[in-house]
Amino acid sequence: MSNASQIEPVHVVGGGLAGSEAAWQVAQAGVPVVLHEMRPARMTEAHKTHGLAELVCSNSFRSDDAESNAVGLLHQEMRRLGSLIMHAGDKHQVPAGGALAVDRDGFSEAVTAALEAHPLVTIDRAEVAGLPPEEWDQVVVATGPLTSPALAEAIRGLTGADALAFFDAIAPIVYRESVDMGVAWFQSRYDKPGPGGTGADYLNCPMNREQYEAFVDALLAGETTSFKEWEANTPYFDGCLPIEVMAERGRETLRYGPMKPVGLTNPHRPDEKPWAVVQLRQDNALGTLFNMVGFQTKLKYGAQAAILRMIPGLENAEFARLGGLHRNTYLDSPRLLDGTLRLKAAPRLRFAGQITGCEGYVESAAVGLMAGRFAAAERLGRAVRLLPPTTAMGALAAHITGGHILAEEDEDEDGVEGAGAVEGAPKPAKPRSFQPMNVNFGLFPPLEGALPKSADGKRLRGSAKAIARKKALTDRARADLAAWLAEADSLGVAAE
Ligand SMILES: Cc1cc2nc3c(=O)[nH]c(=O)nc-3n(C[C@H](O)[C@H](O)[C@H](O)COP(=O)(O)OP(=O)(O)OC[C@H]3O[C@@H](n4cnc5c(N)ncnc54)[C@H](O)[C@@H]3O)c2cc1C
């Protein structure tokens, strides 16, 4: 880092999950970076604080299982590449079964403090309200799904293409003390302890068949927020469907999705198998707030509180935050970006995070990690080497920049965030256009060669085959990442 003062800075626009990670990677490579974040001067519809890397909804980074879950593998790869987001997440984790969930304030404060303390990082609290100035010759745009309108318009003008839009919905948060523990109980599904957990991390609210049917009826009758004209034809992302939309898709959909009753035993009524279960996950380190897992909704506030209080145990629930709607803006990346995430029409602009069409906190940070490294390598005059497409990061980048394929369903450790992730739930329709995508094994190139056989020499079938396949995919990813790291210096540039 000794001659860093002679190196022109890389500019990163947006201090969210992706921009914070990108700025960190650039600085760690010895290149100065200016991080432009518009909050608190200008807020988005979802952000509430001025902290960098604020988590706007759930506090979960999802499964931490690197053997059989694609997002768990992504965690592992990011840790190997010195991710600030993963380091802060690990440091501020709260119990959440097999998932990695974090104390959102502690996490955001840790990311902010690390960037503020880095000698090569300058933080500029101002909106970039239009195309970045021409003299910024290397820019990473990481302004997220709620990119400010002035910048979104400028990008749209530059690409000549309409940015696509769709809806996500926010899940409600409940005060723990308002939950009736004479009805609810603590247990993780199948008592799985997971990282930092105890096996009894979730609050569970059981329903019998009559209660479930009445709840579905209420959801179907509930008044939802109406669409504005410009929102009217915007499709939902299938991995994050509102509960009332799931109910519309079929009366059983919720029971196979966020309300599935498996792996749980009600200690208050051990002989009675619940027909459905609503799970709540710890949302802050103090354990005073719990979010309703997979319960994103666009029900109007009045109707919403009344319907949610039909859930046994939540009759007197007090809500720290009710569910809501948001719009998402993202690029048609396979068409507009090159393999290193640069805008083909203006290669000085590189994109990262959710605006590229990845979906999720961890995916956004992972794309930020790659964009930061690519930008630093370019600034240092080195050839940029992509990650192998057999790794979770490489597969995600290949999906964004190389086009999309229809992903197979991927089960989270949580297993319940949305209908798209749930066994038995309706499968998302084959996308006709590029759609935001969580990392999943469907993005990985197929395995070469046969899977190992069972102990008695037979071909594996069913779930045993699926487990073996995931293990083979994650083993291959680890081996290929290790080989890539052995060949490359810390920037992913071939050793000279
Ligand atoms: C309401 C909502 C709920 C979501 N819930 C979840 C969830 O529960 N789990 C999950 O995994 N993912 C969720 N997502 C999706 C996604 O993971 C997050 O949006 C994630 O924060 C994306 O990371 P990012 O870095 O791309 O964008 P962000 O984290 O949004 O960061 C973008 C940053 O850019 C700043 N900015 C915008 N425009 C400008 C400008 N012109 N100049 C300067 N700064 C600017 C913003 O203030 C913001 O800090 C949700 C998204 C939204 C909008």
Side-chain angles (χ1 to χ4, degrees), residues 206-436:
M207 277 187 187
N208 62 29
R209 189 171 189 161
E210 293 70 42
Q211 290 163 331
Y212 177 80
E213 294 298 337
F215 183 69
V216 170
D217 285 339
L219 285 179
L220 293 174
E223 207 184 338
T224 53
T225 38
S226 52
F227 292 124
K228 298 193 175 62
E229 202 183 325
W230 55 268
E231 297 171 328
N233 296 317
T234 312
Y236 287 109
F237 170 52
D238 274 278
C240 194
L241 285 179
I243 46 172
E244 61 278 8
V245 175
M246 281 191 240
E248 272 167 23
R249 291 193 171 187
R251 296 189 70 87
E252 290 292 284
T253 305
L254 283 163
R255 242 169 52 77
Y256 284 98
M259 295 174 72
K260 68 181 171 189
V262 300
L264 298 165
T265 308
N266 182 353
H268 306 296
R269 293 168 183 262
D271 301 331
E272 212 174 277
K273 195 169 165 19
W275 185 252
V277 176
V278 176
Q279 285 202 302
L280 291 90
R281 179 176 50 221
Q282 187 174 328
D283 201 77
N284 62 344
L286 288 175
T288 51
L289 297 176
F290 276 70
N291 59 60
M292 301 183 68
V293 179
F295 259 57
Q296 48 277 347
T297 174
K298 65 185 176 75
L299 288 166
K300 277 195 167 168
Y301 281 0
Q304 190 180 141
I307 293 171
L308 295 177
R309 288 190 183 117
M310 291 172 70
I311 298 168
L314 300 189
E315 291 88 347
N316 299 310
E318 293 298 327
F319 296 94
R321 184 178 69 191
L322 282 165
L325 257 188
H326 74 87
R327 195 171 72 102
N328 189 358
T329 304
Y330 62 99
L331 294 169
D332 187 4
S333 296
R335 205 162 57 76
L336 297 173
L337 302 186
D338 72 11
T340 70
L341 301 164
R342 291 180 311 182
L343 194 66
K344 289 175 194 163
R348 75 185 175 100
L349 303 182
R350 184 169 256 124
F351 283 80
Q354 183 117 346
I355 197 169
T356 63
C358 66
E359 169 70 27
Y361 299 145
V362 184
E363 287 86 343
S364 295
V367 179
L369 187 153
M370 289 185 274
R373 285 177 165 246
F374 295 164
E378 206 175 302
R379 175 59 91 220
L380 294 171
R382 302 184 192 172
V384 176
R385 286 183 71 222
L386 305 181
L387 279 118
T390 47
T391 61
M393 277 201 286
L396 192 59
H399 169 73
I400 292 166
T401 58
H404 61 287
I405 51 173
L406 183 62
E408 64 185 41
E409 285 177 272
D410 184 29
E411 56 278 63
D412 264 350
E413 193 61 46
D414 295 39
V416 288
E417 290 285 358
V422 168
E423 180 195 329
K427 286 194 181 187
K430 189 177 171 102
R432 285 185 302 274
S433 59
F434 181 59
Q435 291 227 3

Side-chain angles (χ1 to χ4, degrees), residues 13-20 36-39 42-47 51-62 124 126-130 142-152 168-171 240 281 296 324-328 352-356 358-365 417 438:
V13 187
L17 276 300
S20 298
H36 306 265
E37 169 52 56
M38 68 179 185
R39 290 176 291 121
R42 185 187 176 112
M43 299 298 284
T44 75
E45 299 104 82
H47 289 84
L52 301 177
E54 177 182 338
L55 303 178
V56 287
C57 181
S58 157
N59 64 331
S60 175
F61 285 5
R62 313 194 328 270
D124 172 32
E127 179 187 0
V128 175
T143 44
L146 304 169
T147 295
S148 74
L151 179 57
D168 271 349
I170 302 174
C240 194
R281 179 176 50 221
Q296 48 277 347
L325 257 188
H326 74 87
R327 195 171 72 102
N328 189 358
Q354 183 117 346
I355 197 169
T356 63
C358 66
E359 169 70 27
Y361 299 145
V362 184
E363 287 86 343
S364 295
E417 290 285 358
N438 288 123

